[in-house]
Amino acid sequence: PDLHELMAIADILITDYSNIMFEFAAAGKPVFLFAPDLSAYSQKNIFYFDVGTLPFPCVQTQEDLLEAMHSLDIKAYRQKTQAFFAEHVGLRESGRASQAAAAAAVDKLTSAVVHTIMPDGSIRKGIVQDETPPAIISSLYDKYHAFPIDSKKLVFINFHGRGYGCNPKYIAQEMLKRRSDLDLVWMARGNASLPQGVRSVPYDSEQAIMEIATARVLIDNTMMFTGFKKRPDQFYVNTWHGAIPLKKIGFDNPANKKSKNYEARNACNFPHVDLMLSNSRFASNMYRRAFG
């Protein structure tokens, strides 16, 4: 479930248009673009960068891919990659972003008395966050906003309930190092392998909404579904799940501009984000524009 661990042990990345290319290249490792459909894909106007300006070898056949791998000058490749990041991206990657986010989050926690926010019979089955009508989701937030906030509770969400991974995982690990008195809640679809000190809650459940509605800190790498309501005294951290995208996201993507559903979902999220994790000048400017 954690792509970053895979990147850490891999030597070479072969991809078509995934933004993983930039994260992998930032580690100085070789990236090869294998894009047989590049001509048709480029006509959709959904790239932030002209593929021809990217520092990665781009091929369209397996034979050319093998040749590019055999003939790669790694020193020249790294110089070209560093120049691209400096000119087009303004990369500020330090490898300590999760620690910085955890430090910002821990400052929002107090030593107030922890409340028990699990009233008997309050859990109702059948909630599916991406399918249940937004009006029902919204009414559940209203219901649980009547409960006090647990000042030591943090909720972590990775890809709408995917396993223990991405930036939320590393922020959780840092919180475990910093404090032993916290209630760390991981939203999961299915079984998730979690460390001691992190408890799992079914993502598609009323309990999940109760946990979100009563946590002091929320950490998500995508967007909450339409109907989500943030309380004024909650601290919402969004780490987004890609460092530097190639394909346009948010309102930079023409398809999203035409979508009322996307507009409504965005309105539930990014106007209420307190801290957005960014690794570059490019990403900071893009996030502000693409997410309004």
Side-chain angles (χ1 to χ4, degrees):
D2 187 359
L3 190 60
H4 296 86
E5 290 186 352
L6 180 60
M7 286 197 290
I9 64 170
D11 298 310
I12 289 175
L13 172 70
I14 302 170
T15 183
D16 50 5
Y17 313 112
S18 171
N19 59 276
I20 188 180
M21 65 179 73
F22 298 112
E23 299 179 73
F24 198 81
K29 297 181 178 183
V31 174
F32 297 89
L33 305 186
F34 184 42
D37 59 345
L38 176 61
S39 178
Y41 216 85
S42 297
Q43 294 177 8
K44 296 181 181 180
N45 189 32
I46 59 171
F47 291 157
Y48 282 112
F49 306 101
D50 181 343
V51 174
T53 68
L54 298 178
F56 318 123
C58 182
V59 298
Q60 296 182 302
T61 68
Q62 291 190 16
E63 291 77 9
D64 288 344
L65 174 62
L66 292 172
E67 173 59 28
M69 293 171 68
H70 282 300
S71 62
L72 181 71
D73 182 335
I74 188 64
K75 182 177 180 180
Y77 164 82
R78 287 172 176 163
Q79 291 175 343
K80 188 176 180 180
T81 301
Q82 290 171 1
F84 173 83
F85 281 141
E87 179 179 356
H88 298 286
V89 177
L91 191 67
R92 294 194 292 263
E93 186 63 65
S94 68
R96 304 180 67 85
S98 294
Q99 291 173 319
V106 79
D107 286 344
K108 305 300 177 182
L109 302 169
T110 70
S111 58
V113 176
V114 175
H115 306 285
T116 302
I117 315 171
M118 293 286 291
D120 291 339
S122 65
I123 307 306
R124 187 174 68 205
K125 303 296 182 182
I127 296 297
V128 181
Q129 296 207 51
D130 55 350
E131 296 180 7
T132 300
I136 295 178
I137 298 292
S138 179
S139 69
L140 288 174
Y141 278 108
D142 289 337
K143 172 183 176 180
Y144 289 110
H145 283 178
F147 290 87
I149 282 182
D150 183 336
S151 60
K152 295 183 180 180
K153 180 161 67 177
L154 298 87
V155 166
F156 299 84
I157 308 175
N158 172 36
F159 285 108
H160 313 306
R162 195 179 293 181
Y164 187 56
C166 206
N167 291 89
K169 166 186 173 179
Y170 297 100
I171 297 174
Q173 289 178 343
E174 184 67 19
M175 299 305 288
L176 288 171
K177 295 177 185 177
R178 289 172 177 262
R179 295 275 291 269
S180 61
D181 61 335
L182 302 178
D183 182 15
L184 307 184
V185 182
W186 193 273
M187 298 292 165
R189 277 179 165 148
N191 296 324
S193 180
L194 301 173
Q196 185 175 0
V198 181
R199 64 182 174 95
S200 176
V201 166
Y203 179 78
D204 287 323
S205 68
E206 183 171 338
Q207 182 184 356
I209 295 175
M210 182 277 292
E211 301 283 6
I212 295 171
T214 55
R216 176 70 173 102
V217 175
L218 309 173
I219 299 172
D220 195 354
N221 69 354
T222 52
M223 286 195 283
M224 306 279 189
F225 284 103
T226 308
F228 163 68
K229 292 182 178 179
K230 180 194 170 193
R231 297 167 76 161
D233 44 356
Q234 288 184 311
F235 188 66
Y236 184 5
V237 180
N238 191 290
T239 69
W240 205 242
H241 51 273
I244 304 163
L246 174 63
K247 291 174 286 187
K248 293 180 179 179
I249 63 175
F251 292 117
D252 282 351
N253 188 320
N256 291 334
K257 288 182 179 180
K258 302 174 183 177
S259 171
K260 294 295 183 182
N261 290 335
Y262 187 90
E263 183 178 3
R265 190 173 174 196
N266 183 87
C268 288
N269 282 267
F270 288 104
H272 309 291
V273 168
D274 297 293
L275 176 67
M276 186 97 185
L277 209 60
S278 168
N279 74 343
S280 62
R281 179 186 68 248
F282 173 87
S284 296
N285 293 336
M286 180 269 297
Y287 287 149
R288 291 189 178 100
R289 181 186 64 249
F291 295 130

